[in-house]
Amino acid sequence: MGNVDDINYFNADKQLYYRQTDTAGVTRTYILDLPSGKKSLWKHPESLSPVKGAHYTASRLHIAEDTIRHIKSHSNFIIRNYNTKDTVCIENILSYEYYNQGQNIIFMQEKNDERIIKYGPTMGPYKEFFKGKKKVMPSSFAFDRKELTGKFDIKDSLYCNFSLAKNKVDTLLCVTDVPVPENHQIVRVNLMKNKNYVLLELANTNNPRPVRKKETRKKDDSFDLELWTWDEYEVPTLQTTHTYQRGAYDKYLYNCKTRQLVKVVPAQCEPSMPYRDMEDMDYMLYTDGTPYKHEREWKEKLPFDIYAVDVRTGESKIVGKAYRDLPKWSPTGRWAMMYDPHAKNWNKFDAKTGEMTNVSADIPYPVYDEIYDKPAPAPAYGIAGWTSDGKYVFVMDGYDWWKIALDGKEKTTCFTRGYGRKNQISYRILYSNIDKEIYEPNEKIYVLGVHMKDMSQAICQIDMKGNVRTLIHEQCGYRVFAFSDNRKYCLWARQSVSTFPDLYHSTANFTDIKRVTDANPQQKQYLWGSVKIVEWKNYEGKQNRGLLYLPEGYDSKQTYPVIVQFYETHTEEKNNYPIPMLSSAMANITYAMSNGYIMFMPDVHFTIGTPGQSTYDAVVSGVNWLIDQGIAHKGKIGLQGHSWSGFQTTYLVTKTDIFDCAQIGAPITDMVTGYLGIRNGSGLPRYFMYEDTQSRMGATLWDAKEKYKAMSPIVDADKIHTPLLIFHNDNDEAVAYEQGRALYLAMRRLQRPAWMVNYKGQGHFVLKTAAQKDWTIRMMQFFDYYLKGTKEPRWMKEGIQLKDRGYDQKYDLVK
């Protein structure tokens, strides 16, 4: 919603609040009374933070040190009764939790040299539950608001359970009772929800972790050497001191009942635990990424192997190799779902038997992203949720949800009854404040229904019998911010190319709709435009889609200039509201339409190894289709791309003269040196982009030498006859500045028209407002000159030499 965020209900749904940041960067909190809509400003020094389900607001307020009054810096916890205006201040509160639907609070407070756990009504009075010396008590505790039980430790030796209902504290674990092996010591204790078990990390005292001593050596500052070693774990650009500081230790599971201690996870591995532990665990999982640690530089997501370990014996076996997504546990902790990226199926792990089973074999459609076109394994569509009893999981295909019985005793069924595929509607989770992964028997699940033909959206409900009910369906995009506590009302926004995402209030069934904000009334004063999905057959013989933006009042009998702008795919953005703003890279769609331009954004789907050719097949075929339809006209077609599409645009102008000008931003122009570069922002070598992700080569340079050369447009710069405006900043954190400069130098040597813009000190995008304004002017002057036939600006005619920089911007047109 632009500069409006953090929108929610409070005070039993009698009010809603939102935060709004103005152009000066000042953020204010506003309160709207319902249903009147009367607005007021939150004027208290602390932030407004409602207690869910109650009529209180509570948040910390930092008090700075006052040396005159001898007050040390501290934080106060301010609780306000919104209705009565009564206020309570709790000093030096450390951690806290609400319970009883926000009517009660439990907190830990620090007083003098003591830490005290207190509880009671949210506004007080409070009862003291437990007290201990500051040096032995932690700064926080764990609390289960349903069971009214919690946990805390006493100086890493005693671990305690407490119950508010029983007003009782019990010792869960005494470290001295654990039968630690000889020459070992406990270094970390991880309490689990299952009170029968504790996960311990043990260090071998015979092999102590090296201690980083205080540096006493004198540093030689006469020169600064950086040594790169071929087989070190990380290249120097990734190395930081903290990488090597945290110790890794073997993990042991301690059974508090049997007092058995079993090594379950090797030091270099990470346990995968259900968030709601089983009553009795027989097997657990852990992941091991060490076989792949050197692949970090050429894979976007580092693979790992998954092992199942018998918690009674410590015996382990591999159950998943080179996986990329962590196991997802069922509500009861009995099963874990694991997506195999190689077989492209969902497997079920049974924590009782240790067995793995393919549970998606009975689903007749792919459960993975079918149009994924990067070299990395295609990801799954995902898990939509679980039934609360833990017996069923819902797995998504491209359109529908499938209900899988985890015990294997029932046949897998299409939960949404094939309605999605039949009507080309993709049902996905509707993200809001009531997101759920666990569904009760009477649940009505809110979902987003994307109509794939025209990309219109619907908000729907699915009940636990699989009945789908459409609540609202429009040619727009939706964002739901919050449902009220009683689930009767909701706050949401709708947007389209010409509809600003204002805030709306309605019933939870999306009836009785009332507009809350009118944040962009000035839009009525301007020409705007429209958008539609167009479709044609590309040069691969496949159906291709794209977005066609037409200026307001478009007349098919007139001739309009066209800017072709693209990245990867765009039809899913059809209902996005393009906010008018200065350009940080590519032309603003709304600005261009308002100035009489048609904007064409074709989808590009790539073939691994030949991304440039894929671009040509999609984009040039689409432009020729526009010409055949009388929408575009030769002599008035421009091209634009930035970053990844900067490469694509550079490639295109070496293969076709159909474009009358091209603006190219931050491009990779040479795949060979691009592959061997380092991203200045992250410090990562760029291998992973080519072998695994966006650049889509799918092989190393040495395994595909000819393809890398063929996809390097700088080699064919002599075939460029299109005037170029090149944009590349010398502090680019993603693509080396030398790549764009090489294209300029090639055009200069070939004596072909080209201009290069470098906003010194700026990065991959122009972020400085003054520079954005300058870039917006120059970019549009460039397109206007070649596509509208306006006079040439002086900066294009004369250039800006060193003596004129900052003195004469030469925006004026040549007379």
Side-chain angles (χ1 to χ4, degrees):
M1 263 200 68
N3 59 353
V4 175
D5 60 16
D6 197 13
I7 304 164
N8 220 321
Y9 291 89
F10 75 103
N11 193 18
D13 308 326
K14 295 174 184 176
Q15 279 87 24
L16 64 86
Y17 72 93
Y18 63 91
R19 294 186 173 91
Q20 188 166 16
T21 304
D22 61 23
T23 54
V26 177
T27 301
R28 295 181 175 88
T29 300
Y30 293 95
I31 300 166
L32 288 176
D33 288 326
L34 299 174
S36 70
K38 183 180 178 182
K39 185 164 71 172
S40 59
L41 181 67
W42 177 260
K43 298 179 180 179
H44 300 293
E46 80 277 8
S47 61
L48 188 153
S49 181
V51 178
K52 187 174 179 60
H55 51 274
Y56 309 118
T57 69
S59 60
R60 296 180 190 270
L61 180 65
H62 179 71
I63 307 299
E65 183 178 8
D66 187 334
T67 55
I68 297 175
R69 295 191 292 172
H70 306 289
I71 298 175
K72 294 181 179 180
S73 65
H74 65 282
S75 65
N76 288 339
F77 193 66
I78 311 296
I79 306 174
R80 296 183 187 275
N81 185 321
Y82 187 80
N83 295 331
T84 67
K85 311 304 180 187
D86 293 335
T87 305
V88 170
C89 175
I90 307 174
E91 291 188 351
N92 295 318
I93 191 170
L94 299 176
S95 64
Y96 62 93
E97 288 277 357
Y98 301 108
Y99 61 99
N100 188 23
Q101 298 180 327
Q103 300 304 312
N104 292 74
I105 188 172
I106 178 171
F107 60 89
M108 183 177 286
Q109 184 180 28
E110 192 171 290
K111 278 191 174 183
N112 301 320
D113 65 341
E114 293 181 322
R115 288 181 176 169
I116 309 162
I117 298 177
K118 296 181 179 179
Y119 71 100
T122 301
M123 296 290 289
Y126 310 118
K127 295 180 181 179
E128 189 175 292
F129 182 74
F130 192 87
K131 182 188 297 184
K133 294 291 184 183
K134 176 181 175 180
K135 61 182 180 181
V136 300
M137 288 289 287
S139 60
S140 63
F141 56 89
F143 186 71
D144 186 322
R145 63 186 61 159
K146 288 185 178 179
E147 301 292 332
L148 299 186
T149 59
K151 300 172 185 176
F152 63 88
D153 65 273
I154 299 178
K155 203 179 181 179
D156 300 329
S157 59
L158 288 175
Y159 292 82
C160 304
N161 275 333
F162 66 85
S163 169
L164 291 188
K166 297 179 181 178
N167 196 27
K168 184 181 179 184
V169 176
D170 294 319
T171 299
L172 173 66
L173 172 72
C174 181
V175 168
T176 57
D177 291 339
V178 180
V180 176
E182 187 177 354
N183 300 322
H184 283 73
Q185 66 180 26
I186 298 173
V187 290
R188 293 192 186 100
V189 177
N190 302 291
L191 300 180
M192 301 170 65
K193 289 192 175 181
N194 188 325
K195 299 174 184 177
N196 296 331
Y197 297 96
V198 178
L199 193 66
L200 305 172
E201 295 184 44
L202 271 59
N204 188 329
T205 54
N206 288 334
N207 300 300
R209 173 187 163 206
V211 177
R212 195 176 183 89
K213 296 180 180 179
K214 187 175 181 180
E215 198 63 69
T216 56
R217 297 173 297 171
K218 184 179 179 181
K219 187 179 180 181
D220 182 356
D221 291 322
S222 62
F223 64 94
D224 191 5
L225 171 68
E226 182 180 79
L227 176 65
W228 297 59
T229 306
W230 71 275
D231 61 349
E232 57 192 332
Y233 172 52
E234 294 176 317
V235 294
T237 50
L238 292 174
Q239 291 174 12
T240 55
T241 53
H242 70 80
T243 305
Y244 307 95
Q245 284 180 354
R246 178 178 169 86
Y249 306 99
D250 292 332
K251 286 90 174 168
Y252 290 73
L253 198 65
Y254 177 62
N255 188 318
C256 299
K257 284 185 175 180
T258 64
R259 296 197 174 186
Q260 185 183 22
L261 185 69
V262 179
K263 179 182 173 182
V264 290
V265 182
Q268 74 276 13
C269 304
E270 293 295 329
S272 172
M273 306 292 289
Y275 55 86
R276 189 179 298 173
D277 301 331
M278 290 176 62
E279 189 70 27
D280 294 302
M281 294 192 301
D282 291 336
Y283 291 86
M284 60 179 285
L285 298 172
Y286 66 83
T287 59
D288 183 6
T290 50
Y292 312 97
K293 65 179 182 179
H294 287 290
E295 298 181 15
R296 177 186 178 190
E297 295 170 8
W298 54 87
K299 283 188 169 59
E300 184 180 39
K301 295 177 75 173
L302 194 67
F304 48 81
D305 297 331
I306 303 179
Y307 288 82
V309 57
D310 189 323
V311 301
R312 298 157 297 188
T313 65
E315 295 180 5
S316 64
K317 60 181 179 180
I318 191 167
V319 293
K321 195 166 183 63
Y323 275 43
R324 296 205 177 195
D325 293 297
L326 294 171
K328 296 173 175 60
W329 287 90
S330 66
T332 59
R334 169 69 186 272
W335 288 282
M337 291 287 286
M338 298 190 289
Y339 174 69
D340 186 331
H342 312 290
K344 297 179 180 179
N345 59 257
W346 281 102
N347 292 321
K348 172 195 70 177
F349 172 75
D350 189 336
K352 196 70 179 169
T353 65
E355 295 177 352
M356 284 273 283
T357 310
N358 179 353
V359 292
S360 59
D362 293 336
I363 298 175
Y365 304 105
V367 294
Y368 59 88
D369 187 345
E370 299 152 82
I371 61 172
Y372 191 77
D373 60 2
K374 296 177 183 175
Y381 286 116
I383 288 176
W386 316 74
T387 57
S388 57
D389 57 11
K391 292 182 179 180
Y392 302 92
V393 65
F394 299 104
V395 167
M396 294 185 284
D397 71 12
Y399 296 95
D400 292 296
W401 295 12
W402 295 80
K403 186 178 181 180
I404 299 172
L406 290 166
D407 61 9
K409 295 179 180 179
E410 299 177 32
K411 185 179 179 182
T412 296
T413 59
C414 185
F415 181 61
T416 48
R417 305 177 185 179
Y419 187 84
R421 187 170 293 274
K422 179 182 177 181
N423 295 282
Q424 297 291 285
I425 305 171
S426 180
Y427 291 115
R428 294 297 178 258
I429 300 298
L430 179 70
Y431 294 105
S432 72
N433 65 322
I434 60 168
D435 290 348
K436 301 184 81 171
E437 290 185 342
I438 301 172
Y439 305 130
E440 300 298 333
N442 60 347
E443 197 81 50
K444 290 184 179 179
I445 310 164
Y446 283 92
V447 299
L448 186 69
V450 180
H451 291 245
M452 302 305 292
K453 289 182 179 179
D454 63 2
M455 301 311 292
S456 62
Q457 292 187 2
I459 296 177
C460 310
Q461 274 186 345
I462 303 178
D463 66 22
M464 294 310 288
K465 294 181 179 180
N467 297 309
V468 181
R469 177 190 173 199
T470 298
L471 303 176
I472 188 171
H473 175 208
E474 296 172 291
Q475 191 57 250
C476 70
Y478 296 107
R479 180 182 174 187
V480 175
F481 294 101
F483 286 87
S484 60
D485 290 337
N486 60 15
R487 301 291 192 269
K488 290 183 178 180
Y489 304 99
C490 68
L491 291 161
W492 51 281
R494 56 157 70 94
Q495 65 172 319
S496 70
V497 67
S498 58
T499 304
F500 183 83
D502 275 304
L503 188 63
Y504 290 84
H505 179 262
S506 72
T507 68
N509 288 330
F510 293 85
T511 59
D512 193 21
I513 299 171
K514 292 183 176 64
R515 184 169 173 171
V516 176
T517 62
D518 185 12
N520 197 25
Q522 65 273 16
Q523 178 177 324
K524 299 169 187 174
Q525 304 171 28
Y526 298 92
L527 297 175
W528 220 252
S530 61
V531 63
K532 63 180 179 179
I533 294 176
V534 293
E535 193 167 334
W536 67 96
K537 186 168 286 189
N538 66 27
Y539 292 153
E540 289 185 290
K542 299 176 181 178
Q543 289 301 115
N544 214 117
R545 303 210 297 177
L547 296 181
L548 185 65
Y549 292 87
L550 301 173
E552 188 172 321
Y554 171 75
D555 183 350
S556 61
K557 295 178 182 179
Q558 292 188 20
T559 300
Y560 294 82
V562 175
I563 297 177
V564 180
Q565 181 189 99
F566 61 93
Y567 195 81
E568 294 188 344
T569 62
H570 297 279
T571 47
E572 69 275 9
E573 303 165 5
K574 177 176 179 285
N575 290 308
N576 287 5
Y577 178 83
I579 299 174
M581 60 175 59
L582 296 171
S583 297
S584 61
M586 290 201 277
N588 179 268
I589 293 170
T590 305
Y591 181 83
M593 286 194 298
S594 296
N595 282 276
Y597 280 90
I598 291 173
M599 301 291 287
F600 178 49
M601 301 178 71
D603 287 349
V604 181
H605 297 282
F606 298 91
T607 299
I608 305 303
T610 56
Q613 186 61 43
S614 299
T615 303
Y616 180 90
D617 292 339
V619 175
V620 178
S621 65
V623 172
N624 277 315
W625 180 85
L626 288 182
I627 294 171
D628 293 341
Q629 300 298 311
I631 298 169
H633 299 81
K634 292 181 178 179
K636 289 185 175 293
I637 305 172
L639 177 66
Q640 182 175 50
H642 176 261
S643 193
W644 170 234
S645 64
F647 152 73
Q648 294 171 271
T649 54
T650 309
Y651 181 90
L652 287 179
V653 294
T654 67
K655 304 300 180 185
T656 180
D657 294 332
I658 199 171
F659 302 105
D660 300 286
C661 64
Q663 189 279 299
I664 298 173
I668 284 289
T669 57
D670 177 15
M671 282 277 191
V672 175
T673 54
Y675 174 82
L676 295 173
I678 285 180
R679 292 174 69 93
N680 291 331
S682 64
L684 268 171
R686 294 176 56 90
Y687 314 134
F688 77 96
M689 299 194 69
Y690 296 80
E691 296 180 37
D692 207 41
T693 63
Q694 188 180 67
S695 298
R696 294 173 170 87
M697 294 304 290
T700 71
L701 167 63
W702 305 278
D703 289 332
K705 292 178 184 178
E706 295 308 314
K707 286 186 176 180
Y708 271 85
K709 287 169 62 178
M711 291 300 108
S712 296
I714 198 69
V715 176
D716 290 325
D718 59 324
K719 297 176 183 176
I720 301 175
H721 304 106
T722 307
L724 304 182
L725 175 59
I726 303 162
F727 160 92
H728 212 147
N729 299 324
D730 57 8
N731 199 31
D732 193 314
E733 71 280 7
V735 179
Y737 164 67
E738 290 76 13
Q739 291 280 332
R741 189 178 65 184
L743 180 59
Y744 161 77
L745 289 171
M747 295 292 283
R748 176 178 173 82
R749 181 64 184 85
L750 293 163
Q751 284 295 284
R752 309 280 169 81
W755 296 260
M756 180 171 172
V757 173
N758 168 22
Y759 293 98
K760 296 180 74 64
Q762 292 287 288
H764 198 53
F765 295 91
V766 177
L767 301 180
K768 194 174 181 179
T769 302
Q772 288 179 341
K773 183 177 180 181
D774 181 85
W775 173 234
T776 301
I777 292 170
R778 296 190 197 281
M779 184 199 332
M780 295 312 298
Q781 284 185 329
F782 173 77
F783 281 127
D784 286 349
Y785 173 70
Y786 281 107
L787 305 183
K788 284 186 173 183
T790 62
K791 297 290 185 180
E792 193 174 22
R794 274 199 308 124
W795 63 267
M796 288 177 63
K797 180 72 175 176
E798 303 173 2
I800 300 178
Q801 285 72 43
L802 184 62
K803 63 183 176 61
D804 292 326
R805 285 185 198 169
Y807 297 100
D808 187 359
Q809 301 297 359
K810 301 187 179 183
Y811 298 134
D812 52 305
L813 305 183
V814 175
K815 296 180 181 179

